[in-house]
Amino acid sequence: MGNLEGSAMARNKGHLYLPYDEQRSIQVEYVHSSRDSAKTTVLMPFAVNDNWRREIVAAMQAKDPGRTTIQISNATSNAIKLSSRRPTASTPSPEPEMVVEPTAADNNRRAQNIVGNYLTQSGMYTDQHRSVLSDDSHVHRPDYSGFVSQVAANGAGAPAQAFAQAQHVEAITTPGPVGDRDVYLNPNNHNVFTLAHEDLHRIEHPSLQAPGSRLTPGTVEGMTEYMTQDASGLDFRTGGVPGQRGFTYRNETEAVRNSISSGQYTSQDVQRTYLRGSQSPTDRIVGAQNSQATGNQGNVTSGQSYVSHGNSVQGYGQPWNPSAATSAFTVSISPGRQAYQDMGSGPAYQPARPARPPSR
């Protein structure tokens, strides 16, 4: 499942440099598929907006015209690698001179902005949502033994079972009323997109958790992950421990996407069901869920009673600007799939639009 770390793949890895500002370039990794000569996955440590996505596609195709399928995925780290030199023919791969790791507070704000911008564009972001997501006291970062204890406490069974399972779990969000749910992050296996997924669980409508809910846990996770990826501009998310990386809620998310593509319900139906518990869209989603289960077309079961588990990510949106010693965060709303804008004290980041594809 989604293993990008095998020896065959390692031979097809490289670095791509994109303009970050007037003086600096940002380093991202790419991986050519060993199975499909037309496919390349570019690994970004943060979401990238539509302009950057076009630049990445142009750069990869200029480098290798046969690469016609370009996917943007998540890097294994949130670190931002910057170089003050532009790549040239003589220095095609300058080493990054600055590696910036966002803080826990940075990532909380980044995730909040991903979710907030997404829901604002569709008119679904309420004052209650804003208040809940701005409260960092419910986001916990225990050590690994503490995380295992939370996994056990939230339905994974005996401690030995929880210990075996916990390494593959990014995070859990406890059930309860909106505003009272707690997020526990796996210290060894999470990133900013994990937080975006959990932030959606924090504001999930109580009817989805109520006894007798017609929506299965797998459908709820599929809806959550669908919105996470849509908010971040993702094609898919991957993650997990080294050597065992896989896709995050792949079947559940594909079931939702397939239902939307086939016209069984809409992305607005997903939001209205998930955030408001509205009856009509819920009926449509339940109907599609039951149809898929009957036809064995989608994985709509979960088996875990804790809310969120899985792997990792990919996306578009404005990157976090590490140039300032302290960061102020604002939400920038613009047409299209604008995930978020995190700014330092300087001017907002604007992706460069060079006359030719960025140097590589």
Side-chain angles (χ1 to χ4, degrees):
M1 287 182 61
N3 185 355
L4 303 182
E5 299 180 351
S7 58
M9 296 299 284
R11 292 194 297 271
N12 293 309
K13 288 185 177 181
H15 294 136
L16 181 70
Y17 287 83
L18 302 173
Y20 183 76
D21 54 27
E22 292 299 322
Q23 291 79 35
R24 296 177 297 180
S25 298
I26 188 165
Q27 175 184 302
V28 297
E29 296 180 10
Y30 65 82
V31 182
H32 291 326
S33 171
S34 61
R35 301 181 184 89
D36 184 347
S37 62
K39 183 181 292 185
T40 293
T41 300
V42 179
L43 304 174
M44 299 293 292
F46 44 69
V48 295
N49 67 16
D50 289 333
N51 286 347
W52 269 43
R53 190 178 183 91
R54 287 192 291 270
E55 299 295 352
I56 289 169
V57 170
M60 291 306 310
Q61 291 179 345
K63 184 179 181 67
D64 187 344
R67 298 285 164 173
T68 57
T69 303
I70 311 299
Q71 299 176 315
I72 312 298
S73 184
N74 59 291
T76 55
S77 168
N78 286 329
I80 298 172
K81 300 178 180 180
L82 298 167
S83 173
S84 63
R85 294 181 294 163
R86 297 290 191 187
T88 66
S90 59
T91 60
S93 299
E95 290 299 317
E97 298 163 4
M98 180 186 298
V99 179
V100 181
E101 291 279 0
T103 67
D106 291 334
N107 281 334
N108 286 351
R109 297 287 79 74
R110 292 170 69 197
Q112 180 186 349
N113 286 345
I114 289 173
V115 173
N117 280 12
Y118 175 63
L119 298 181
T120 298
Q121 290 178 45
S122 56
M124 297 293 293
Y125 201 38
T126 67
D127 288 341
Q128 182 192 34
H129 297 155
R130 195 172 287 105
S131 175
V132 168
L133 298 188
S134 65
D135 183 0
D136 292 346
S137 68
H138 287 278
V139 179
H140 309 285
R141 292 172 168 80
D143 60 21
Y144 190 65
S145 62
F147 181 71
V148 171
S149 297
Q150 288 297 328
V151 172
N154 283 277
Q161 294 173 299
F163 188 85
Q165 185 181 75
Q167 64 176 329
H168 303 289
V169 178
E170 285 185 306
I172 60 173
T173 297
T174 61
V178 174
D180 290 345
R181 301 167 190 167
D182 288 292
V183 173
Y184 295 90
L185 296 165
N186 185 337
N188 303 326
N189 178 21
H190 79 272
N191 59 28
V192 67
F193 304 102
T194 308
L195 276 164
H197 181 107
E198 303 310 319
D199 274 350
L200 285 165
H201 277 307
R202 292 173 70 190
I203 57 176
E204 174 187 316
H205 193 269
S207 65
L208 275 65
Q209 300 183 6
S213 171
R214 295 179 297 157
L215 294 169
T216 68
T219 297
V220 174
E221 287 297 351
M223 294 163 66
T224 308
E225 186 58 25
Y226 168 80
M227 289 190 291
T228 301
Q229 294 179 19
D230 201 35
S232 307
L234 313 183
D235 299 318
F236 59 89
R237 288 207 307 144
T238 66
V241 295
Q244 301 181 51
R245 296 180 63 79
F247 296 94
T248 304
Y249 289 119
R250 182 180 189 177
N251 291 342
E252 292 88 342
T253 308
E254 285 184 353
V256 173
R257 284 206 178 100
N258 290 341
S259 294
I260 292 172
S261 297
S262 65
Q264 292 177 290
Y265 53 82
T266 67
S267 58
Q268 291 77 17
D269 286 339
V270 172
Q271 294 183 13
R272 290 169 61 204
T273 296
Y274 195 91
L275 297 167
R276 295 178 179 171
S278 300
Q279 186 66 39
S280 293
T282 301
D283 290 343
R284 288 190 285 274
I285 293 174
V286 169
Q289 164 195 277
N290 294 344
S291 173
Q292 289 164 347
T294 300
N296 196 29
Q297 297 173 357
N299 179 2
V300 293
T301 60
S302 178
Q304 276 75 23
S305 61
Y306 52 86
V307 175
S308 182
H309 61 288
N311 293 319
S312 206
V313 77
Q314 107 165 339
Y316 340 125
Q318 299 281 23
W320 171 57
N321 185 345
S323 61
T326 59
S327 294
F329 298 89
T330 64
V331 174
S332 173
I333 306 303
S334 63
R337 302 178 71 179
Q338 182 70 31
Y340 63 90
Q341 182 174 26
D342 292 350
M343 301 188 300
S345 57
Y349 165 80
Q350 296 294 331
R353 296 304 304 246
R356 60 183 186 277
S359 301
R360 294 165 295 285

